[in-house]
């Protein structure tokens, strides 16, 4: 048995690496197991949503990813027979370049670049031990912890396990947890290649060209780096069995047909066949083992929420594990992971399925030259890509929150309405004139209690997991920011924000005995007043 680590992470992709980074911010040691001998260069995902970019900004990754992203004017779809032929339609620029309610914007960057940035960031953490080319074959749980067994015959002890080992998760299957939903929505055959398309694409930047609306040969050419790297996608009809893998000659023929030039040079790097599913696990937890990312949910790519949802899964889970390991919270806090994250995945799955159906409807409308219908569908497609409500507006209805009795704002995938209602992402408000620091930068490794400028708290006592900040005093003293209004409290009210940036509790006005009232709130959340000693293996 090797040296124990508090958390074992099975899977070293974007989700597993993100979990390691967040745990490191709490000083929690972890061990990551990755079975693949090398990382795939095939860009499965090609976009980071606003909320995930806010996390990457907090982790110091944004400059590197921006440098490798598509330019802002590429945020559109172009529909054509072939790249060399008639252009049938194009969407307007689909995303806002700046968004007042967020600290950053989305980033059209390929998954391989994201993984490289995460690997470098996670590898810099002394609290993480990375085990490459190590396949986990079994887990044995007890009341005190988990033993992780590998194909090499080694055993590793951990208090908890995060399974981030993909849609075919060995861990999920070993736990007997089922996936509910559509196992096969369709199959996508994907070709990752390089070639010079400047003649047809240099003055038409876009997310992807959708070809063959009138010819019936539906092939998509998606830009990876905006210049030379491309992914060509060929979808099979729903319900079909797994199609045969494309051979190199077939792949080149499909690409050249979509371009409209039989002589263009096509340098193929990789060919893969992906099953598109719309499934969610029936549970995200079994004892001390938690599912995250594709191991927990398989989202259709028509929405760009797959990798993003997984990274946000572990952002939700990691702080809870850290609080329990550090002795700051009761273990019942961990029950909230499933109740909070699983409904979010259900919603993202349904929305992604609807986006996928719109592509088919657009092809039909274009083939029939139905201009009014085309215009209607192109307008709806803006809500697919610029889905700020879907991205930032989701809320936890139960779990580690204390409701305040206020109704939720109207829900819309296309529109985000900032609110500090418990369960929602706390509003982003700039704290300085040059917009370098936001309220979101305050929410990281502790709970933050924001109190009105006239509020009287009484004696709470110092807690290692709690920061108390008063509106009107540093750092909440920016004269142009009215945090009372933004957070929906009076001058005598308060808001409690979790480490993941979601509001846990809010009072427009504090009760007559604020210390006692807050003590009750902390107890309902499973937080320990006066807990300061870390349990063995937790925070160092």
């Amino acid at each position: 048995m090797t040296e124990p680590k508090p958390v074992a992470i099975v899977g070293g992709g974007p989700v597993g690496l993100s979990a390691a980074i967040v745990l490191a911010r709490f000083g929690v040691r972890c061990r990551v197991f990755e079975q693949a001998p090398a990382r795939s260069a095939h860009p499965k995902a090609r976009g980071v949503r606003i909320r995930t970019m806010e996390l990457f900004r907090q982790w110091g990754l944004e400059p590197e990813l921006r440098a490798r992203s598509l330019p802002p004017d590429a945020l559109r779809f172009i529909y054509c027979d072939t790249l060399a032929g008639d252009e049938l339609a194009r969407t307007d620029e689909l995303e806002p370049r700046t968004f007042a309610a967020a600290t950053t914007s989305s980033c059209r960057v390929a998954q391989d670049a994201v993984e490289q940035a995460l690997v470098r960031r996670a590898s810099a953490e002394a609290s993480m031990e990375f085990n490459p080319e190590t396949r986990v074959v079994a887990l044995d749980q007890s009341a005190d912890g988990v033993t992780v067994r590998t194909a090499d015959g080694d055993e590793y002890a951990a208090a908890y396990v995060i399974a981030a080992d993909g849609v075919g998760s060995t861990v999920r299957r070993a736990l007997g947890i089922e996936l509910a939903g559509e196992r096969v929505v369709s199959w996508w055959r994907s070709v990752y290649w390089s070639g010079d398309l400047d003649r047809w694409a240099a003055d038409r930047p876009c997310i992807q060209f959708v070809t063959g609306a009138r010819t019936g040969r539906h092939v998509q050419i998606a830009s990876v780096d905006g210049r030379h790297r491309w992914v060509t996608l060929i979808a099979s009809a729903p319900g079909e069995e797994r199609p045969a893998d494309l051979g190199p000659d077939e792949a080149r023929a499909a690409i050249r047909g979509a371009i409209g030039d039989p002589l263009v040079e096509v340098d193929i790097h990789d060919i893969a066949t992906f099953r598109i599913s719309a499934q969610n696990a029936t549970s995200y937890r079994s004892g001390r083992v938690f599912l995250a990312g594709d191991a927990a949910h398989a989202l259709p790519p028509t929405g760009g929420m797959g990798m993003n949802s997984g990274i946000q899964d572990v952002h939700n889970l990691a702080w809870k594990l850290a609080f329990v390991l550090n002795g700051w919270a009761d273990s019942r806090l961990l029950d909230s992971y499933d109740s909070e994250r699983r409904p979010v995945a259900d919603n993202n799955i349904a929305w992604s399925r609807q986006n996928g159906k719109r592509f088919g409807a657009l092809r039909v409308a274009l083939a029939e030259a139905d201009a009014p219908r085309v215009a209607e569908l192109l307008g709806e497609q803006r809500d697919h890509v610029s889905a700020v409500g879907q991205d930032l507006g989701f809320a936890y209805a139960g779990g580690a929150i204390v409701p305040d009795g206020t109704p939720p704002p109207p829900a819309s995938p296309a529109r985000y309405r900032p609110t500090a209602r418990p369960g929602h992402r706390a509003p982003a408000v700039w704290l300085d004139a040059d917009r370098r620091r936001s309220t979101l930068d305050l929410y990281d490794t502790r709970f933050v209690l924001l109190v009105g400028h006239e509020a009287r708290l009484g004696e709470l006592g110092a807690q290692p997991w709690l920061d108390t900040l008063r509106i009107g005093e540093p750092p909440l003293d920016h004269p142009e920011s009215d945090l009372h209004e933004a957070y929906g409290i009076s001058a005598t009210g308060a808001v409690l924000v979790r480490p993941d940036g979601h509001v846990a509790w809010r009072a427009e006005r504090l009760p007559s005995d604020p210390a006692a009232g807050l003590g009750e709130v902390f107890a309902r959340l499973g937080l320990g007043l006066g807990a300061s000693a870390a349990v063995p293996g937790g925070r160092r």
Side-chain angles (χ1 to χ4, degrees):
M1 182 74 70
T2 60
E3 178 194 0
K5 302 284 188 196
V7 180
I9 301 170
V10 184
V15 175
L17 293 169
S18 294
I21 290 168
V22 181
L23 288 170
R25 297 177 80 81
F26 289 90
V28 174
R29 294 173 293 123
C30 69
R31 179 179 280 113
V32 179
F33 301 93
E34 171 54 50
Q35 68 176 8
R39 296 191 176 275
S40 172
H42 202 123
K44 299 176 184 177
R46 293 177 298 106
V48 180
R49 289 282 184 183
I50 296 173
R51 181 56 186 144
T52 306
M53 279 305 296
E54 288 180 336
L55 304 182
F56 287 170
R57 173 180 176 272
Q58 192 173 58
W59 304 346
L61 302 178
E62 183 173 25
E64 177 180 351
L65 297 178
R66 291 285 178 205
R68 301 183 65 178
S69 68
L70 296 180
D73 59 349
L75 302 180
R76 60 167 53 87
F77 292 111
I78 291 178
Y79 294 84
C80 51
D81 282 332
T82 65
L83 270 67
D86 293 337
E87 181 175 313
L88 306 178
R90 63 167 59 194
T91 60
D92 294 329
E93 193 173 309
L94 291 169
E95 293 179 333
R97 300 193 185 191
T98 59
F99 186 54
T103 58
T104 185
S105 59
S106 64
C107 183
R108 286 287 161 181
V109 61
Q111 182 172 327
D112 59 333
V114 173
E115 287 200 33
Q116 289 163 15
L118 289 170
V119 166
R120 281 191 285 272
R121 180 67 179 79
S123 298
E125 299 291 350
S127 59
M128 184 198 77
E129 178 182 307
F130 190 68
N131 290 47
E133 298 185 59
T134 305
R135 183 165 61 92
V136 171
V137 295
L139 302 176
D140 296 325
Q141 292 198 60
S142 69
D144 300 320
V146 186
T147 299
V148 178
R149 304 183 190 277
T150 70
D152 297 329
D154 295 326
E155 295 183 353
Y156 301 82
Y160 297 99
V161 172
I162 299 174
D165 52 341
V167 69
S169 173
T170 298
V171 174
R172 187 190 66 243
R173 292 176 179 175
L175 297 173
I177 297 177
E178 300 291 334
L179 289 174
E182 296 177 82
R183 181 179 179 273
V184 181
V185 174
S186 65
W187 295 92
W188 279 14
R189 292 184 288 180
S190 179
V191 185
Y192 172 41
W193 60 282
S194 295
D196 182 3
L197 301 187
D198 278 358
R199 192 189 326 170
W200 307 284
D203 61 347
R204 296 194 295 173
C206 64
I207 298 170
Q208 62 194 43
F209 294 95
V210 184
T211 74
R214 294 190 303 198
T215 64
R217 294 188 296 272
H218 304 308
V219 177
Q220 301 185 31
I221 297 180
S223 178
V224 175
D225 65 357
R227 298 191 64 196
H228 304 298
R229 294 198 296 152
W230 311 90
V231 169
T232 290
L233 301 167
I234 306 170
S236 299
E240 287 187 5
E241 295 297 320
R242 187 185 191 281
D245 293 333
L246 285 175
D249 291 341
E250 290 179 284
R252 287 189 183 91
I255 292 167
R256 288 166 175 161
I259 295 169
D261 184 340
L263 301 178
V264 67
E265 289 293 327
V266 176
D267 183 11
I268 294 177
H269 305 305
D270 189 45
I271 300 174
T273 301
F274 300 114
R275 186 184 74 226
I276 307 304
S277 303
Q279 294 182 294
N280 202 8
T282 54
S283 175
Y284 283 11
R285 181 184 185 185
S286 177
R288 290 175 170 266
V289 183
F290 301 83
L291 306 181
D294 289 351
H297 42 68
L299 275 67
T302 45
M305 287 292 188
M307 179 180 69
N308 290 277
S309 294
I311 291 170
Q312 292 167 35
D313 286 343
V314 294
H315 189 238
N316 176 291
L317 174 60
W319 75 266
K320 297 172 182 177
L321 290 172
F323 267 55
V324 173
L325 286 165
N326 286 329
W328 299 340
D330 188 275
S331 61
R332 62 190 171 94
L333 174 65
L334 301 176
D335 294 335
S336 65
Y337 171 63
D338 178 280
S339 62
E340 290 180 355
R341 291 303 302 171
R342 199 149 54 90
V344 172
D346 274 333
N347 184 270
N348 285 339
I349 287 169
W351 175 75
S352 299
R353 285 289 284 122
Q354 187 61 37
N355 290 335
K357 294 174 182 177
R358 189 178 299 112
F359 278 104
L362 256 168
R363 287 197 298 266
V364 171
L366 288 168
E368 296 176 350
D370 186 344
R373 179 62 172 155
V374 169
E376 176 188 2
L377 291 167
L378 289 176
E380 292 178 4
Q381 199 155 54
R382 173 181 292 277
D383 300 346
H384 166 177
V385 178
S386 182
V388 291
Q390 191 75 19
D391 185 11
L392 302 178
F394 69 89
Y396 302 136
I401 65 166
V402 178
D404 67 356
T406 59
S412 166
R415 183 179 177 189
Y416 171 61
R417 299 168 176 82
T419 176
R421 179 176 178 268
H424 291 256
R425 164 188 170 274
V429 180
W430 292 108
L431 299 176
D432 49 24
D434 55 3
R435 297 197 166 197
R436 292 186 177 181
R437 195 162 191 237
S438 159
T439 49
L440 297 191
D441 298 317
L442 304 173
Y443 316 134
D444 188 2
T445 59
R446 293 175 175 84
F447 274 77
V448 176
L449 182 66
L450 303 181
V451 298
H453 76 273
E454 295 180 4
R456 296 292 176 264
L457 289 177
E459 184 55 48
L460 287 178
Q463 305 301 326
W465 46 266
L466 178 67
D467 289 331
T468 301
L469 303 175
R470 185 176 297 278
I471 296 173
E473 298 177 1
L476 306 182
D477 57 348
H478 183 41
E480 297 177 13
S481 301
D482 186 350
L483 288 175
H484 297 98
E485 180 180 358
Y487 279 74
I489 60 172
S490 70
T492 59
V495 175
L496 183 66
V497 184
R498 308 182 332 182
D500 62 359
H502 281 255
V503 176
W505 166 85
R506 178 176 66 170
E508 183 185 6
R509 294 176 177 80
L510 284 169
S512 57
D513 187 346
L518 283 166
E520 292 178 5
V521 170
F522 297 151
R524 287 184 63 178
L525 295 171
L527 302 173
L529 280 172
S532 59
V535 299
R539 189 179 181 89
R540 296 183 297 177

